[in-house]
Structure formats: C-alpha cells, structure tokens
Amino acid sequence: MSQSTSIPKKQERIRDHGYDNYMEIHKKVIKTLKFQDMILSQPNCMVSIHRLGALAGRQGFKKLEPGQFILKFPHVFEIYEHPVQRILYCRLTRKAHLQIQQENDALMAQLTDAVTRLRKLVMLSNTGRLRLEHVRIARKDFGLPDDFEFSVVLKHPQYFRLFDAKETRNKYIEIVDKDPDLSVCAIEREREREYREGGADAEDIRFSFIVNFPPGFKTGKYYKIAVWKWQRLPYWSPYEDISGYDMRSLEAQKRMEKRAVATIHELLSLTVEKKITLERIAHFRAAMDLPNKLKHFLLQHQGIFYISTRGNHGKLHTVFLREAYRKGELIEPNDLYLARRRLVELIMLSPRKARMDGEMTNYRRDRLRPEKGGVQDDYIDGHCERFGDTDNIRQRGKGKEDSDSDMDCDGDSYYTDEDDDCDDSLGVEDSHVTE
C-alpha cells in the first residue's frame, strides 16, 4: 500500500535531555527570583525568617519550604542574627546584589534594541496592534524593562501609539508606521548568509528552515520525502498583509500553516534567550493567526522547535528554538543573557565552598588579631611568671583552643549532608547542560 508523503498531523514528543536539564535548573532560578522579590520589597532589603515564611505562604509555598530552600543557596541568601532583636534574618549576599546590578545595567544598555524588538513584535500582528497586558506578561522574555509602558512606548511616540479600546476597555499598543527595513525575518537573513558563504542552491534554501531532529527521532523514507517537499513549499512572510488573499484553496491552507511556523520562529528570535512559554505564545494566537492547538502543531516540527514540560509539575510548557542552542547554551549569547546566567552560576555553587570561604575569613581575622591591639604573648609571659607555672597555663590554653576548634568542626551547621548530596546531584545536571 502506498503511504502518504506529507508530514503527519500527530507526532509523539521525543525528549531531548539537554533542554530538559536546562529547565530543571531554570525551575530553581524561578523560585530564587520569587524569594529575591520578597526580600527586596521589605524595608532595608532584609526580612526575618518568620516574616519570610508568611510571605512565601501567600504565594503557595509550603510551611517549611522557604527555610529549606534558602539554606541550599548560601551564595544568594545570607542568614544572620539581628544584633538587637536576636532573631534570624535573611538578606541577599553581596554576589547576588552585584548580579542584580549587572542585569539592570545590561537591560538599560540594550534599551535601543528593545525598542526595535517591540516594533517588530507589534508588526507581526495582523492588525498592527497588541494588547498591553499580553506584552507586559512577556516583558522579561523580550528584554523590556518593568516600566516599558513609559520608558519605551510613551517615550517614542514616533513609533508607538497607546490607546484604550472602546469595546473592551483594554489598552493596546499600535504601530505608527511600518518600517520596510524591519520586515525582514531572522530566518531570511540566515538563508542569505548560507547562500553567500556556502554556495547552496537558491531554489533549495529559498523557503527552507534549519532542521535538527532530537536524538532518537525516527525518520523513515516517506517522512524524509515529506520534509523535503515541505521545505520547498512557498509561504507568505509573517510581516506581509494577507487580508486580500483567498484562503479557501488547499494550497493556501498549506502556505498558512508554514507561515505560522515562520511566525513562531520569528517570535522566538525576538526573545532574549530564544525561548518562551507556550502559554505566552497563546496570548498572541488571535493577533498573529496562529493555530488553536499550538502544542500539537509544534510537535509536527520537532526539528525546528522543542517543547519541554519540565517546570511547574508538567503544567508549564517551554518552547525552544533548536537552531539557537548547542549543548544547552546559546550559540550567540548577549549581555543580558550572560547577566542572567550569572545567577545560575551562584545557584549551582556548592554550600561547601561558602563554608570554606567563611572559615578562611575567620582564619585571616585570627591572624590579624594581635596586630589590632589584642592580648600579646609577652604580656602573658610576664604576668604568669609570678605563678611559677607558665608552661601549665600555656598547655591549658592550647588545650582549650584545640577543644574550641573541635567544637567548631562538630557544631551544628545550617547545611546538612542531604543538602551536599543535593548540590552534588545539581552539579551532575549542570555538567549535562554545559557539555
């Protein structure tokens, strides 16, 4: 029996552990950012452990989860005893504050690029307008500041117009004038570069996409023929106005399906980390003429996109642009991405290193203590001679120091062996991601 040479509508998702390991680490980053916002929202950027537990409970955390979580990451959170109240407080470490400052500096440095990304994003819509709330939800993904409504939209009236819809009473961002120079997709620039450098056949790459199937994906003879036919299928550009075209023919429907792939591809190319959640893509479904069943639609093109279900107990789906990643890292990283990865490095550091740094600091203080006016050995020698038992006193002092050092080593610590095991396992995951 003859088989169909078209891409099947239903495809099973093949896991790619490189992206899944990336999301396992990203889950810890999401939790860390939530606790950072709680701490920074308090006066003097510090909060008691009891107060932190109450704030975390309002956001769905369990009773003992806040304390257990912040103890695992001593390079981000610092626990100390309040000098007056004598209760435990929590604040961010100096490294965490430097990471936040580095991210803010990178965000402001690329503000001009953020304006361009927002212009291209609004131009992707079929009406030239997007809801302000939908853009606000995805502002972190597109590298927009929290006050982008004022610092980006209202500050550039030559590009954007903000208005309230009468029928829905929602705010919309509308593009003032479409720039033809911005109507070039990222995949089109990649095709041109491949044509100029590699000398590929213009007919083969004119409408093709970069396809990298995940490991273990089975491609038979008929499937390869279907992909080859689909790669040569022409389609309309995501920035092109198609309101005057007749969509009733089968050929037009195929072109619209490929145009939807190009639209999602361009949407991911506009993000900072070349990834975005499936739920946020769904916010732009109506404005960009995307299919209703987005997950099933993206599974048909697993060589271009990858959907990871790691995060929020499988309820959150993250879509990656496969061609932008290699071994769990961006091929062309930007400053904002590198600043955010700095937080990942702080999370992945073992608590053992934090304890070792603390012990080395105490050791240096002990070495510098006699120079700061402490009790000198000559003073002890001169005042102990009258007792005639200087050696015994020195021996007792030495024994006491040895016992104190033993107590320091055997004393209770904030970090348990379970946390060390957890960090060792995290290190293994990080090695899978970065290889």
Side-chain angles (χ1 to χ4, degrees), residues 211-247:
V211 177
N212 297 316
F213 291 106
F217 188 85
K218 297 180 180 180
T219 57
K221 172 184 176 181
Y222 293 97
Y223 187 84
K224 292 180 181 179
I225 296 176
V227 173
W228 180 83
K229 292 171 59 180
W230 184 84
Q231 290 279 48
R232 298 170 66 91
L233 178 68
Y235 67 96
W236 297 295
S237 172
Y239 296 102
E240 185 178 354
D241 186 13
I242 58 173
S243 58
Y245 295 157
D246 186 7
M247 300 297 173

Side-chain angles (χ1 to χ4, degrees), residues 107-119 152 156 159:
L107 183 65
M108 300 308 297
Q110 56 90 52
L111 198 58
T112 304
D113 297 335
V115 174
T116 304
R117 284 195 295 268
L118 184 58
R119 292 175 64 188
V152 176
H156 299 85
Y159 300 141

Side-chain angles (χ1 to χ4, degrees), residues 125-141:
S125 63
N126 49 16
T127 58
R129 64 181 65 175
L130 289 176
R131 276 190 59 182
L132 178 65
E133 185 64 24
H134 293 167
V135 179
R136 180 182 287 110
I137 293 174
R139 66 185 182 279
K140 296 291 184 182
D141 298 317

Side-chain angles (χ1 to χ4, degrees), residues 40-55:
L40 294 177
S41 63
Q42 300 300 311
N44 299 325
C45 298
M46 61 181 185
V47 61
S48 64
I49 299 299
H50 178 73
R51 174 65 176 168
L52 182 62
L55 294 175

Side-chain angles (χ1 to χ4, degrees), residues 40-222:
L40 294 177
S41 63
Q42 300 300 311
N44 299 325
C45 298
M46 61 181 185
V47 61
S48 64
I49 299 299
H50 178 73
R51 174 65 176 168
L52 182 62
L55 294 175
R58 298 174 184 175
Q59 297 193 14
F61 290 95
K62 298 179 181 179
K63 184 176 182 181
L64 301 178
E65 188 175 1
Q68 295 174 351
F69 182 81
I70 62 178
L71 288 175
K72 293 179 181 179
F73 309 110
H75 296 276
V76 182
F77 306 103
E78 179 183 358
I79 298 178
Y80 67 99
E81 185 180 6
H82 197 278
V84 178
Q85 302 179 9
R86 297 299 180 183
I87 59 176
L88 293 179
Y89 267 70
C90 180
R91 62 187 175 191
L92 299 181
T93 61
R94 181 174 175 271
K95 294 180 181 179
H97 281 291
L98 290 177
Q99 185 274 329
I100 295 175
Q101 184 62 36
Q102 182 182 359
E103 183 176 350
N104 292 334
D105 294 342
L107 183 65
M108 300 308 297
Q110 56 90 52
L111 198 58
T112 304
D113 297 335
V115 174
T116 304
R117 284 195 295 268
L118 184 58
R119 292 175 64 188
K120 292 174 70 70
L121 179 65
V122 180
M123 287 172 58
L124 283 176
S125 63
N126 49 16
T127 58
R129 64 181 65 175
L130 289 176
R131 276 190 59 182
L132 178 65
E133 185 64 24
H134 293 167
V135 179
R136 180 182 287 110
I137 293 174
R139 66 185 182 279
K140 296 291 184 182
D141 298 317
F142 295 104
L144 299 174
D146 294 337
D147 60 341
F148 76 96
E149 181 180 352
F150 304 97
S151 60
V152 176
V153 179
L154 296 179
K155 195 175 180 180
H156 299 85
Q158 69 274 20
Y159 300 141
F160 309 104
R161 187 172 72 91
L162 193 65
F163 68 96
D164 296 332
K166 297 181 179 179
E167 60 276 6
T168 59
R169 297 182 179 179
N170 295 322
K171 287 187 177 181
Y172 283 83
I173 304 175
E174 188 177 32
I175 195 75
V176 174
D177 187 17
K178 291 186 177 182
D179 189 356
D181 296 335
L182 298 179
S183 301
V184 181
C185 298
I187 188 62
E188 295 177 5
R189 293 193 297 267
E190 185 64 24
R191 291 171 189 154
E192 181 179 359
R193 185 190 64 82
E194 184 178 354
Y195 175 75
R196 293 180 182 275
E197 296 180 0
D201 189 3
E203 188 65 25
D204 292 337
I205 66 172
R206 184 180 179 183
F207 303 105
S208 63
F209 289 81
I210 301 176
V211 177
N212 297 316
F213 291 106
F217 188 85
K218 297 180 180 180
T219 57
K221 172 184 176 181
Y222 293 97

Side-chain angles (χ1 to χ4, degrees), residues 375-398:
V375 180
Q376 304 294 331
D377 292 340
D378 297 337
Y379 178 84
I380 296 176
D381 294 339
H383 285 75
C384 291
E385 288 177 354
R386 70 185 67 176
F387 296 101
D389 197 8
T390 307
D391 296 336
N392 293 337
I393 294 177
R394 285 191 171 277
Q395 188 67 26
R396 292 175 185 174
K398 184 178 180 181

Side-chain angles (χ1 to χ4, degrees), residues 13-16 19-20 23 214 268 276-279 281 293-302 304-310 314 316-322:
R13 187 171 65 89
I14 305 299
R15 288 191 178 276
D16 194 331
Y19 295 97
D20 289 339
M23 288 305 302
L268 289 172
I276 191 174
T277 61
L278 187 63
E279 289 73 18
I281 296 179
K293 298 181 179 180
L294 278 175
K295 183 179 178 181
H296 296 285
F297 178 76
L298 293 176
L299 287 179
Q300 299 177 26
H301 308 280
Q302 298 187 48
I304 304 174
F305 313 106
Y306 179 75
I307 303 178
S308 177
T309 58
R310 300 292 180 92
L316 190 66
H317 301 78
T318 305
V319 183
F320 289 85
L321 185 61
R322 294 189 62 90

